[in-house]
Amino acid sequence: MNSAMQVPAEDYDEALPAATPPGPDGYPVIGNALSLVRDPRSFFEEMSEFGDVVSYRIPRMDFCTVLHPDLVEQVLLTDHDAFGKYGFEELGGEFATDGLLLTEGEQWRRQRTIIQNAFTLDRINGYTDMMAHYADELVDTWDDGQEVVLNRAFSTLTLRVLAHSLFDLDLGHDDSIVTEFAEVLNDRGDMDGLSTFLPMWVPTPANRRYRRVLDEFRTFVEGLIAERRGQTDAYDDLLSLLLTGETEDGTRMSETELRDQMITFLFAGHETTSLALTYTILELAKHPGIREQLDAEHESVLDGTAPTVSALPDLPYTEKVIKESLRLYPPAFILFREARGDVELGGYRIPEKTKLTLPQFHIHTDDRWYDDPESFDPGRWTEEMETALPDYAYFPFGGGPRHCIGMRFAMLELLTVLPTLTQQIEFDLLSDPDPDLEMAITLRPSEDIRMRVHKR
């Protein structure tokens, strides 16, 4: 694996070849925005035929996609300082630009230092009972034989878990502003619409709605922060930590940083886990044999009780089911970076300001790393398979210093909620077993996932 290096402009043409294939102006280009919009999966599949470092162009921007795990590792870990963040701020306008997801440099390090105290292992493990409790409450709201919209039910569930555990809040009917914002942000970033590639100042209906809902969401979050001020001693959660936490030099977060942290966690912290639960249940409904193996493990280990932290190591098949779901349906399905200078990647020159795409959804189904990659097979996750698998052939939570700070929280929630639900409910699929997937800010189904629930 090559290390990133600076390439002097005067030596650039001789130093390294361009990524293939070359475009008419000498810069490597394949495809265009229209082909990307029409069928993103086929677009990336086409690019893979040209190698592991391939360039393409959409309006106003040059891109390079990275398709080999070793090169992904170089971008995210080995030479991470050579690549800056890119993504939400362009697709989502002014979305939480001072939140942990988008900040960089010293500001990001300062924020990460403060926030990581809310995600210690002991603190996260303490949420297990609450996660199971809310899952039980969801089951109680369902009648035997009722038709449910799974993605919407799980969105409400994971938002309740997040709001209670990290912010000690019961949003009640106020959860609608969070879910509406998740919807409009995804609409704004959906590759299936050309409006995604238009600047925010263009007064399209999508842009106008986005700005309206973002303003409402900000006002809502600012109100939550104002209510908590002066009461931080009475709480032990992320919100109080954000209000009182400081770095060694005494620096605290600004008002804008506080607001943008809340916006970031309320959106990303529930949306991705909700999708992971939805796709996992979808696959279990399609594969009764796998569901039977899962039920056998739960009966043997849990015998109808809610999972506890101590029981989780005894649920290896449950973990494999979740890992396989995250492989096929990574909710944050693609990562974006930007070259901070002229760099080398896989033997090719990458000019400064080039945007890089690291598509988990494609790498996770590359037959170089996975046998029968399109099939849902939790049994593939053997010790031998994982030992042979390149580190960044599977990265649903990102990687390197900027890996998802909520990774352990999300996995605990999935490992707790899934057995709580499946021990009580059989799910009969009513909607399309292979729904179209929209590549927006998250990988969401293009239509609702509908199930009929039967209580056991």
Side-chain angles (χ1 to χ4, degrees):
M1 183 178 66
N2 297 307
S3 297
M5 66 180 185
Q6 299 295 317
V7 182
E10 61 271 19
D11 299 332
Y12 204 56
D13 288 338
E14 298 180 2
L16 294 167
T20 55
D25 59 355
Y27 186 75
V29 178
I30 79 165
N32 53 46
L34 189 57
S35 58
L36 175 61
V37 166
R38 283 173 175 166
D39 190 346
R41 284 186 178 274
S42 295
F43 181 81
F44 280 93
E45 190 65 36
E46 177 189 355
M47 282 195 291
S48 70
E49 297 175 4
F50 293 93
D52 290 319
V53 182
V54 186
S55 297
Y56 62 102
R57 179 170 292 156
I58 63 175
R60 302 178 292 121
M61 290 176 282
D62 290 325
F63 276 81
C64 176
T65 197
V66 180
L67 300 176
H68 195 286
D70 291 349
L71 301 180
V72 172
E73 183 174 17
Q74 180 180 341
V75 173
L76 295 182
L77 179 61
T78 313
D79 299 315
H80 65 90
D81 284 338
F83 304 94
K85 287 287 290 183
Y86 169 81
F88 276 105
E89 61 271 43
E90 281 76 16
L91 295 178
E94 301 171 354
F95 167 75
T97 51
D98 280 318
L100 186 67
L101 188 65
L102 297 178
T103 53
E104 297 203 72
E106 183 55 36
Q107 183 184 20
W108 172 81
R109 283 186 284 271
R110 175 173 51 81
Q111 292 180 356
R112 183 94 179 192
T113 298
I114 293 174
I115 293 172
Q116 66 188 7
N117 292 323
F119 291 92
T120 63
L121 185 59
D122 286 346
R123 186 185 289 266
I124 290 173
N125 285 343
Y127 299 137
T128 308
D129 290 345
M130 176 272 301
M131 292 171 174
H133 171 72
Y134 280 136
D136 279 333
E137 286 197 343
L138 174 62
V139 170
D140 289 342
T141 67
W142 291 339
D143 295 326
D144 187 40
Q146 179 181 342
E147 179 180 331
V148 300
V149 178
L150 213 61
N151 46 297
R152 297 184 186 276
F154 287 164
S155 178
T156 300
L157 170 62
T158 57
L159 183 55
R160 291 189 72 195
V161 168
L162 179 83
H164 181 89
S165 55
L166 297 187
F167 305 114
D168 201 6
L169 295 169
D170 184 0
L171 293 178
H173 295 299
D174 289 332
D175 65 0
S176 61
I177 183 59
V178 183
T179 54
E180 184 181 11
F181 178 73
E183 180 182 336
V184 298
L185 182 60
N186 269 300
D187 287 345
R188 171 61 191 159
D190 191 349
M191 291 186 187
D192 197 29
L194 286 174
S195 63
T196 295
F197 304 105
L198 296 175
M200 280 301 300
W201 53 263
V202 178
T204 65
N207 282 354
R208 290 197 301 269
R209 185 188 179 206
Y210 174 82
R211 287 197 174 279
R212 175 183 62 78
V213 176
L214 176 60
D215 287 344
E216 293 174 0
F217 191 26
R218 283 176 168 172
T219 299
F220 169 69
V221 167
E222 288 165 355
L224 295 178
I225 295 172
E227 289 178 10
R228 179 62 62 86
R229 287 195 184 280
Q231 305 180 59
T232 53
D233 290 344
Y235 296 88
D236 183 23
D237 57 15
L238 176 60
L239 179 51
S240 291
L241 183 65
L242 292 174
L243 286 164
T244 61
E246 57 184 42
T247 54
E248 292 182 358
D249 63 0
T251 303
R252 291 191 175 185
M253 291 192 189
S254 69
E255 292 298 312
T256 302
E257 287 178 308
L258 285 170
R259 181 198 67 197
D260 285 358
Q261 306 303 348
M262 289 278 286
I263 289 175
T264 298
F265 280 99
L266 283 171
F267 165 69
H270 95 277
E271 171 83 356
T272 52
T273 310
S274 168
L275 289 170
L277 274 173
T278 299
Y279 293 130
T280 302
I281 296 295
L282 172 66
E283 288 297 328
L284 290 174
K286 291 161 55 178
H287 296 89
I290 294 174
R291 173 65 195 263
E292 287 177 6
Q293 293 183 66
L294 190 69
D295 288 344
E297 179 174 86
H298 295 165
E299 182 178 356
S300 172
V301 176
L302 302 174
D303 192 25
T305 64
T308 62
V309 172
S310 61
L312 295 183
D314 297 323
L315 299 174
Y317 193 72
T318 304
E319 183 175 1
K320 290 178 181 181
V321 167
I322 292 168
K323 290 181 72 170
E324 183 71 347
S325 176
L326 291 172
R327 182 184 71 84
L328 284 176
Y329 305 96
F333 64 99
I334 191 167
L335 298 182
F336 294 90
R337 292 294 187 268
E338 183 177 73
R340 287 175 168 158
D342 297 340
V343 298
E344 181 270 340
L345 192 63
Y348 297 111
R349 63 177 187 261
I350 309 299
E352 181 181 5
K353 300 295 185 182
T354 299
K355 281 65 176 173
L356 279 75
T357 52
L358 288 66
Q360 291 104 313
F361 74 93
H362 180 88
I363 296 173
H364 284 188
T365 54
D366 190 324
D367 59 14
R368 290 179 293 178
W369 325 120
Y370 299 95
D371 295 331
D372 194 11
E374 300 293 340
S375 68
F376 183 76
D377 178 16
R380 76 172 72 245
W381 292 97
T382 63
E383 183 177 346
E384 294 75 18
M385 177 268 194
E386 294 197 53
T387 299
L389 191 69
D391 286 345
Y392 281 79
Y394 180 78
F395 56 115
F397 295 100
R402 299 196 69 128
H403 72 275
C404 174
I405 198 171
M407 177 177 65
R408 290 190 297 191
F409 181 95
M411 281 302 297
L412 177 69
E413 186 173 1
L414 292 169
L415 286 165
T416 302
V417 170
L418 182 62
T420 304
L421 294 173
T422 56
Q423 287 188 100
Q424 302 178 70
I425 297 292
E426 295 283 354
F427 294 93
D428 286 342
L429 181 61
L430 300 177
S431 54
D432 189 341
D434 296 301
D436 290 334
L437 303 179
E438 294 180 353
M439 293 184 175
I441 301 300
T442 54
L443 187 67
R444 61 180 182 173
S446 60
E447 59 185 52
D448 287 334
I449 307 298
R450 295 178 293 105
M451 300 271 184
R452 191 172 306 283
V453 296
H454 300 283
K455 296 197 172 182
R456 305 180 69 183

